[in-house]
Amino acid sequence: MRVAYNKYSRRFDFSAPPTFVPVLLACIACWVVSYLYSVGYPVYGEVSATPLWNTICQTLPGKEFTYIIGMALMFGGAFLLHRANYVLVLIREKTMLPFLFYVLFISTNPDFFPLKSTSVGVFCLILAIYQLFTYHDPGAREKAYSAALLIGIGSLLWVHLLWFLPLFWLGMYNFRSLTSRTFIASLLGVATVYWFLLGWCVWQRDFTLFNVPFSTLFKVRLLATDGIVLLDWISIMAIALLTVVASLNIVMHDTEDSLRSRQFLSFLIAMSVWAFSLYFLYDQVSEEFLETACVPASILIAHFFTVTRGKIVFWSFFTTVAVLVATLFIRIWNFL
């Protein structure tokens, strides 16, 4: 009896070289095209930006150097996500998809080119997440201090990163590591950064570095919808939809993962909701919050495409890649 073989009956390895390499090359092509048409360049400081970031924008030496820094930070953040996933076993199977999805999401949104204040902030955020996820180590207070210290350092370039500190307290509570000592340690981590900043301001007799960032931190301005173009929302809606589907899949099949993995993934779901919510609350820095949302979305969506199978899943992956890349090129074409 002849047995029919269905290629969709087993999980397709989307991180295998035949798929990984072409998608990665497509992302690099997005950067090359953006460079040729100077998308996002020159990099200007904004009123809502910190004085330190505005100073960095004024000292960037040239177009090539700026794009190289932006691409290096993107690949560096993707590598940190991959290492965190590998060491902490966030996805129970070995895969390079977190790396690939993060590169794809950053490379197909012209609002992220070539360099944003969150490009460095995401570095600090991913390292802080790693510190939080290793809560089971004996040095719980040191981990809480280190995570908050990293958030404080990142906030020097993008002060709104401080809004992720309450989320880390929630994570510490869910991981059963939130005590009075770890809470105080986290406050001291942020206070250390701004204590040195305050000392510098006193030394220079200029409190601009201290006053300007906090004056914008609490200025809530809802995202304006009157000037939104549908084309600009396609990539955002695609990522948000995939994140929702991936989150629902994790909730519905939570018994298939270990307890520790379920805790980690639950925190990433909460982080994605938190980042997307802040995206709508801060119109002036909405792109920055969208970039931070790419961090948990990359792992959650990678988890979905790694543990699920089927024809719909197979074609959804390639459709997503095609839509994101095509949307970028259409937006660049309309911009010219």
Side-chain angles (χ1 to χ4, degrees), residues 101 105 237-247 301 304-305 316 320:
F101 273 118
F105 295 158
M237 290 187 295
I239 296 174
L241 178 61
L242 285 175
T243 304
V244 171
V245 172
S247 301
I301 296 173
F304 174 75
F305 282 106
S316 295
T320 300

Side-chain angles (χ1 to χ4, degrees), residues 8 47 71 74 81 87 104 122 168-169 195 286 294 305 314:
Y8 304 111
V47 178
M71 183 178 287
M74 177 194 67
L81 273 182
V87 174
L104 177 66
V122 165
F168 274 69
W169 291 333
W195 177 257
S286 57
C294 293
F305 282 106
F314 178 85

Side-chain angles (χ1 to χ4, degrees), residues 1 10 23 35-37 48 64 69 72 80 132 167 170 187 271 306:
M1 183 178 62
R10 59 185 178 87
V23 175
Y35 168 79
L36 294 176
Y37 291 103
S48 58
E64 295 81 3
I69 293 178
L80 290 177
L132 175 66
L167 180 67
L170 176 63
L187 292 179
M271 181 179 176
T306 302

Side-chain angles (χ1 to χ4, degrees), residues 17 48 55 62 86 89 104-105 118 120 138 140 142 163 209 226 231 269 317 329:
S48 58
T55 302
Y86 180 81
V89 197
L104 177 66
F105 295 158
T118 45
V120 179
E142 288 77 6
W163 282 121
L209 291 174
D226 51 351
L231 183 63
I269 293 174
F317 176 86
F329 288 130

Side-chain angles (χ1 to χ4, degrees), residues 111-188:
D111 295 328
F112 300 154
F113 288 115
L115 191 63
K116 304 286 288 188
S117 58
T118 45
S119 300
V120 179
V122 165
F123 252 84
C124 298
L125 186 62
I126 296 174
L127 290 173
I129 292 174
Y130 182 81
Q131 295 293 324
L132 175 66
F133 282 4
T134 54
Y135 72 98
H136 56 279
D137 289 349
R141 283 174 294 178
E142 288 77 6
K143 297 293 184 181
Y145 177 85
S146 299
L149 181 69
L150 289 166
I151 292 178
I153 294 173
S155 68
L156 293 178
L157 294 175
W158 185 50
V159 68
H160 293 84
L161 193 66
L162 292 175
W163 282 121
F164 285 91
L165 192 59
L167 180 67
F168 274 69
W169 291 333
L170 176 63
M172 292 164 60
Y173 174 79
N174 292 334
F175 298 155
R176 299 178 182 178
S177 62
L178 182 62
T179 63
S180 58
R181 292 184 176 182
T182 55
F183 179 76
I184 294 175
S186 65
L187 292 179
L188 289 176

Side-chain angles (χ1 to χ4, degrees), residues 17-318:
T19 303
F20 181 89
V21 174
V23 175
L24 187 61
L25 291 176
C27 295
I28 296 176
C30 293
W31 277 86
V32 173
V33 173
S34 299
Y35 168 79
L36 294 176
Y37 291 103
S38 301
V39 177
Y41 187 84
V43 180
Y44 294 107
E46 300 178 358
V47 178
S48 58
T50 63
L52 180 58
W53 173 247
N54 288 332
T55 302
I56 292 176
C57 292
Q58 296 173 3
T59 57
L60 290 174
K63 178 180 173 181
E64 295 81 3
F65 187 74
T66 302
Y67 270 87
I68 290 174
I69 293 178
M71 183 178 287
L73 288 174
M74 177 194 67
F75 280 117
F79 176 76
L80 290 177
L81 273 182
H82 168 68
R83 289 300 302 170
N85 172 64
Y86 180 81
V87 174
L88 300 172
V89 197
L90 302 179
I91 303 175
R92 58 179 178 266
E93 297 182 18
K94 293 183 179 181
T95 178
M96 289 287 293
L97 280 184
F99 178 97
L100 188 62
F101 273 118
Y102 183 78
V103 172
L104 177 66
F105 295 158
I106 300 300
S107 300
T108 54
N109 194 323
D111 295 328
F112 300 154
F113 288 115
L115 191 63
K116 304 286 288 188
S117 58
T118 45
S119 300
V120 179
V122 165
F123 252 84
C124 298
L125 186 62
I126 296 174
L127 290 173
I129 292 174
Y130 182 81
Q131 295 293 324
L132 175 66
F133 282 4
T134 54
Y135 72 98
H136 56 279
D137 289 349
R141 283 174 294 178
E142 288 77 6
K143 297 293 184 181
Y145 177 85
S146 299
L149 181 69
L150 289 166
I151 292 178
I153 294 173
S155 68
L156 293 178
L157 294 175
W158 185 50
V159 68
H160 293 84
L161 193 66
L162 292 175
W163 282 121
F164 285 91
L165 192 59
L167 180 67
F168 274 69
W169 291 333
L170 176 63
M172 292 164 60
Y173 174 79
N174 292 334
F175 298 155
R176 299 178 182 178
S177 62
L178 182 62
T179 63
S180 58
R181 292 184 176 182
T182 55
F183 179 76
I184 294 175
S186 65
L187 292 179
L188 289 176
V190 176
T192 300
V193 175
Y194 284 93
W195 177 257
F196 281 103
L197 180 63
L198 180 60
W200 174 261
C201 292
V202 172
W203 178 266
Q204 296 293 321
R205 297 182 180 179
D206 181 9
F207 291 87
T208 303
L209 291 174
F210 198 87
N211 293 333
V212 172
F214 286 98
S215 64
T216 61
L217 181 62
F218 300 100
K219 288 185 178 179
V220 177
R221 189 173 67 191
L222 297 179
L223 184 67
T225 57
D226 51 351
I228 291 179
V229 181
L230 180 60
L231 183 63
D232 299 341
W233 275 77
I234 292 179
S235 59
I236 299 175
M237 290 187 295
I239 296 174
L241 178 61
L242 285 175
T243 304
V244 171
V245 172
S247 301
L248 291 176
N249 180 74
I250 292 172
V251 173
M252 294 172 60
H253 302 87
D254 58 345
T255 57
E256 298 180 6
D257 294 304
S258 64
L259 176 60
R260 191 178 68 170
S261 296
R262 293 200 300 269
Q263 290 177 326
F264 294 159
L265 294 172
S266 297
F267 174 82
L268 293 174
I269 293 174
M271 181 179 176
S272 62
V273 174
W274 185 261
F276 276 117
S277 300
L278 292 173
Y279 167 79
F280 289 100
L281 290 178
Y282 285 91
D283 182 39
Q284 64 274 23
V285 288
S286 57
E287 293 86 0
E288 284 81 354
F289 279 116
L290 185 61
E291 189 169 352
T292 60
C294 293
V295 174
S298 299
I299 297 179
L300 294 174
I301 296 173
H303 181 277
F304 174 75
F305 282 106
T306 302
V307 303
T308 57
R309 58 186 175 183
K311 184 177 181 180
I312 296 179
V313 175
F314 178 85
W315 288 110
S316 295
F317 176 86
F318 294 102

